[in-house]
Amino acid sequence: MGYPTFSLGDKWEPTDANAVGLWKIQTKTVTNQSEVTFDNVFTSSYLNYLVTFAVSSCTSSNVISWQERVGGVNATTSYSYAGTGIYLSAGSGFQNILAGQNISSGAVGSFDGASGSSGHAVFEIHSPATSAYTSVTGRSSMATGNTGMYFVNMGSVHYVSTLYDGFRLFVSSGSFTAETTVYGYRK
C-alpha cells in the first residue's frame, strides 16, 4: 500500500493517517551546549524511533554519547558500543575502532577530528519503552577542515530491562550547536 495522494480541496480522513509510517514527535535546537535531552518521547505508541542530529558547529572531538532516561533521570550503567570510523585527510584514508563495554553511556557517532566543523548523525533506537534491552544503530559524518571528513558506523546496547521515556545526547568535553528531531515508526 502506498501513501495517500491529495489534491486541493480533498478531505483528510482519519483512515488516511493509517498509511503514514513515520511520525514527528519533537524537535529541539541547542546552541553551544554539551547536551540535549528529550523526556516523554518514548511511549507504547511506537516500538522503534529515528533520530536526526544536524550539527552546524562543534568544539568537541569526542564520541556522541547517549543515555536513556526515565522520569527525567539519566540511566548511567550497563552500556556497550562498537563502531568503525573512517577518516579522509589530505587525500589519504585510514580507519579506527571505537568501542566501550559495560560503561556509563553508549555512543551513536563521533566528532573525532572534527572539532570546529559541522555534520550530522542519524540513528535508530529500538524498543526503549519495552522490557527488552534497548539497541541503537546509526551513522555519523563530520567535516574536518575544508576538505577532510570523518564517517562512523556505530552500534550500541543498553543492557537494562526498564521502560524508558526519554534519552540524552551529550559530549564529555566541548560543545555543539545542533537541531535534533525524534520520529516514531508507526507499528
Side-chain angles (χ1 to χ4, degrees):
M1 176 177 194
Y3 59 88
T5 304
F6 296 98
S7 299
L8 186 61
D10 287 351
K11 268 180 47 173
W12 175 267
E13 297 293 335
T15 56
D16 295 327
N18 293 334
V20 178
L22 191 62
W23 292 91
K24 182 178 176 182
I25 297 172
Q26 188 174 20
T27 297
K28 286 190 177 183
T29 301
V30 296
T31 303
N32 297 324
Q33 299 294 314
S34 61
E35 72 174 11
V36 59
T37 60
F38 289 87
D39 292 318
N40 302 310
V41 293
F42 301 148
T43 68
S44 60
S45 296
Y46 310 100
L47 182 59
N48 300 304
Y49 299 81
L50 174 71
V51 179
T52 61
F53 182 60
V55 179
S56 59
S57 66
C58 71
T59 63
S60 178
S61 58
N62 299 108
V63 296
I64 305 164
S65 298
W66 74 281
Q67 291 174 327
E68 291 189 281
R69 294 167 59 87
V70 64
V73 177
N74 299 325
T76 60
T77 62
S78 304
Y79 294 87
S80 293
Y81 70 88
T84 303
I86 301 172
Y87 289 95
L88 175 62
S89 180
S92 297
F94 57 96
Q95 73 179 33
N96 67 327
I97 303 297
L98 304 160
Q101 187 172 18
N102 199 24
I103 56 177
S104 64
S105 62
V108 299
S110 180
F111 290 123
D112 196 3
S115 180
S117 273
S118 61
H120 74 280
V122 177
F123 56 97
E124 293 176 307
I125 302 173
H126 309 280
S127 306
T130 72
S131 61
Y133 296 155
T134 303
S135 63
V136 172
T137 54
R139 59 207 171 280
S140 65
S141 181
M142 300 292 164
T144 59
N146 292 330
T147 61
M149 67 164 293
Y150 184 52
F151 174 77
V152 175
N153 275 316
M154 187 74 73
S156 190
V157 175
H158 186 206
Y159 296 97
V160 177
S161 296
T162 297
L163 282 63
Y164 292 97
D165 64 20
F167 69 100
R168 167 187 182 222
L169 292 178
F170 66 100
V171 290
S172 60
S173 66
S175 64
F176 53 82
T177 296
E179 180 178 277
T180 308
T181 303
V182 180
Y183 301 89
Y185 287 112
R186 188 178 184 283
K187 287 184 180 181

